[in-house]
Amino acid sequence: MQCNSDGRTHTNPPPALSRDTVCTSCLNRLAAPSSRRYASAAAAAVAEDSAPSIQQTKVVPPVTHPQIRKAFRVLCSPVLSRPPQITRDLTPFEKAFFLYQKRLNERLVLPFTRYFYYKRGTPAALEWKRKALARKGVAALDTGAYNAYADDAWNDEVPVGSKLGEPEDIYEKLIGDAEGKNISEELVGDAETGGEEIAGDAKQGEGIRKPVGDVVIERPAPRRTEADEKNDQKSLNRALDRTLFLLVRDDKGKWRFPQDRIYGRENLYQAAERIILQAAGPNMNTWVVANHPIGYHDRAFSTPEHAIILANKMVRTSRHPFEREEHGLKTFFMKARIMAGQADLTHNAYGDQDFLWLKREEIEKLVDKPYWKSIRGMLTGR
């Protein structure tokens, strides 16, 4: 502190900022304008401007809608289906492609050294030789005869109308080979082994064809069943390469999937299981696939309908009947599968009169157009 001429004291001014008194980093920080200082001032100014006065604050009371909320009939409809049991028929292009792949593999395979696998003169070697003669040197039965060293080796195309590569032709060739019917009729005796003895004298049995025992191989079941021939649409043993869906006819003569309203607090999964049991009986082994619906259908009534909802004994949360006005219906479709059994409407709880197992295109012909428009996107083509 220092004294002036008038006797007053004053403090010495702080030393100027310089590199001699402050380090370089602190000098740069103190010399630069503080953005935080201006930001704080700006925030305070905005807070003062935006603070509403007591006179401007208005309390808006909640507004209740005078209109009563409309009630709708909420339904659950399980889409019970039987999946395909066999693969579909091959197209002509697929048949030609698979035949080409088989023939290509046959051409590129390494030469077969039979004496590495069969000892000379054994019955197995003789059997292999007899079958090789019947197949004309080709290992596969369903690719056609081919000799790369013959004069017509270039002619390897399948003629138009040939049955080569057709499933029926392949079945017959494989079964005939297993039954011994495709073995060459040429006489093959023990002398062909080069004089090696098999049993006793090598010349014994010369020129005697060894008969093949009567072997009967079971044929594959036909792809078209008796139900297909009769067009029995109640049978599950038809259209084995397609998906069939269960449809029922209600008391008004309309075809649809089984359906019923949701009672109490049951969810869609529980409702689907209950509806399948009450609509088609207990003689089916079914499985509801998921908890969420796969489709939706709604319809508004021209005039509100007065409904009396009775309690359902199979739903624990549905205990007391009640009445209400319903302005329309909303149907949620649940995917389900049948694994065994058959539908039985003897004890149907909804008044359904008949049932059918139908393909996708057959359903379109029976149901109403608005109903078909809602369900066509969830029905598989196969």
Side-chain angles (χ1 to χ4, degrees):
M1 299 179 63
Q2 296 180 356
C3 295
N4 295 335
S5 58
D6 55 0
R8 296 180 180 179
T9 61
H10 67 277
T11 59
N12 295 328
L17 298 178
S18 65
R19 296 184 182 276
D20 298 333
T21 58
V22 183
C23 67
T24 303
S25 61
C26 294
L27 180 63
N28 295 334
R29 184 172 59 84
L30 294 174
S34 176
S35 59
R36 183 179 182 85
R37 187 180 307 162
Y38 292 106
S40 301
V46 171
E48 292 178 0
D49 296 339
S50 61
S53 60
I54 299 177
Q55 291 80 5
Q56 295 177 352
T57 304
K58 295 182 180 180
V59 179
V60 180
V63 179
T64 58
H65 204 283
Q67 185 178 2
I68 301 175
R69 188 175 181 181
K70 295 181 179 180
F72 287 84
R73 186 180 305 166
V74 181
L75 305 176
C76 176
S77 180
V79 182
L80 188 61
S81 61
R82 187 223 64 188
Q85 305 298 301
I86 59 176
T87 57
R88 61 173 176 82
D89 292 329
L90 297 178
T91 63
F93 174 79
E94 291 172 335
K95 294 177 183 177
F97 174 78
F98 290 136
L99 177 61
Y100 170 76
Q101 292 294 328
K102 292 178 183 178
R103 301 182 84 174
L104 185 63
N105 182 69
E106 180 77 19
R107 307 299 188 264
L108 298 178
V109 72
L110 294 176
F112 178 73
T113 307
R114 61 173 176 170
Y115 293 120
F116 180 80
Y117 298 95
Y118 301 109
K119 186 177 180 180
R120 292 177 182 271
T122 59
L126 290 177
E127 184 71 10
W128 187 92
K129 183 184 293 185
R130 297 167 69 178
K131 289 188 176 182
L133 290 175
R135 303 182 189 200
K136 299 180 180 180
V138 181
L141 286 173
D142 54 343
T143 59
Y146 175 76
N147 186 359
Y149 302 99
D151 295 336
D152 58 346
W154 57 271
N155 187 13
D156 196 24
E157 298 294 333
V158 180
V160 177
S162 174
K163 293 184 178 180
L164 191 64
E166 294 291 335
E168 294 77 9
D169 182 63
I170 297 175
Y171 298 156
E172 292 300 325
K173 288 181 178 179
L174 294 177
I175 293 174
D177 181 73
E179 293 178 345
K181 295 180 180 179
N182 291 342
I183 297 178
S184 174
E185 297 295 334
E186 297 181 9
L187 301 180
V188 180
D190 295 341
E192 278 201 30
T193 62
E196 298 180 5
E197 292 189 6
I198 296 178
D201 187 5
K203 298 294 182 180
Q204 186 178 0
E206 173 72 19
I208 300 177
R209 183 176 183 274
K210 277 67 175 176
V212 180
D214 294 335
V215 180
V216 179
I217 304 298
E218 184 179 0
R219 261 62 176 174
R223 297 179 65 88
R224 288 185 57 85
T225 62
E226 183 180 357
D228 285 315
E229 301 298 335
K230 296 181 179 180
N231 195 23
D232 185 6
Q233 295 183 338
K234 290 190 177 183
S235 173
L236 284 168
N237 193 29
R238 77 176 190 99
L240 299 180
D241 60 338
R242 297 289 302 276
T243 299
L244 298 180
F245 301 91
L246 175 64
L247 265 75
V248 295
R249 188 184 66 195
D250 59 13
D251 52 358
K252 298 180 181 179
K254 293 185 178 181
W255 289 93
R256 53 168 175 75
F257 296 121
Q259 67 181 25
D260 188 23
R261 66 169 66 245
I262 298 177
Y263 290 91
R265 299 177 61 184
E266 68 175 349
N267 54 39
L268 289 173
Y269 187 92
Q270 296 169 342
E273 289 184 327
R274 173 181 59 81
I275 293 169
I276 292 175
L277 180 62
Q278 290 184 328
N283 298 326
M284 291 192 301
N285 185 6
T286 59
W287 168 49
V288 180
V289 176
N291 291 315
H292 60 276
I294 60 173
Y296 170 80
H297 172 68
D298 61 343
R299 179 170 62 88
F301 299 150
S302 57
T303 57
E305 296 183 2
H306 181 75
I308 301 176
I309 296 93
L310 301 177
N312 194 309
K313 297 181 180 180
M314 297 188 64
V315 183
R316 293 187 300 174
T317 55
S318 175
R319 300 177 181 177
H320 307 288
F322 62 95
E323 302 179 13
R324 69 179 181 184
E325 295 288 336
E326 295 178 339
H327 296 262
L329 60 85
K330 297 182 179 181
T331 307
F332 296 92
F333 299 100
M334 299 291 290
K335 183 178 181 180
R337 293 287 199 187
I338 178 174
M339 293 171 282
Q342 177 59 289
D344 183 11
L345 303 187
T346 304
H347 303 287
N348 184 276
Y350 310 122
D352 298 328
Q353 305 296 324
D354 198 4
F355 76 93
L356 293 175
W357 292 96
L358 302 177
K359 296 180 287 187
R360 186 179 190 272
E361 58 271 17
E362 296 171 343
I363 295 176
E364 183 180 4
K365 300 177 182 179
L366 290 182
V367 300
D368 298 336
K369 289 185 178 180
Y371 193 80
W372 170 251
K373 187 177 180 181
S374 299
I375 67 175
R376 62 184 178 182
M378 63 185 185
L379 303 181
T380 59
R382 285 198 62 244

